[in-house]
Amino acid sequence: MKQFRIQSYTKKELALLYFPSVENPHVAVNRLMSWINRCHTLLAALNAQGYRKTSKWFSPREVRLIIEHLGEP
């Protein structure tokens, strides 16, 4: 298995890493965002970093926060 890299990812790219068996990328993004929205400490940390729900990308800092709260994909 490949080593996970902390870097910028589109929401779609990161979601498909978490949900590789999902055929529709939109469904994978919805699932990932559902996980993020239910983890209030993660959502607060992302918002403190300047995250906006309309953004298409996660910065490396945001990816690191996601990994810290949800684990590696």
Side-chain angles (χ1 to χ4, degrees), residues 6-56:
I6 301 294
Q7 64 182 33
S8 294
Y9 288 96
T10 64
K11 285 182 179 179
K12 176 180 161 182
E13 289 171 331
L14 190 59
L16 288 172
L17 290 174
Y18 274 97
F19 303 101
S21 63
V22 173
E23 292 182 23
N24 186 338
H26 185 72
V27 172
V29 170
N30 285 345
R31 286 185 186 174
L32 177 60
M33 296 313 299
S34 176
W35 281 15
I36 289 171
N37 288 323
R38 283 185 289 177
C39 185
H40 300 292
T41 55
L42 170 56
L43 190 56
L46 287 171
N47 288 332
Q49 289 293 322
Y51 168 75
R52 300 287 175 251
K53 76 179 202 174
T54 57
S55 63
K56 303 290 183 196

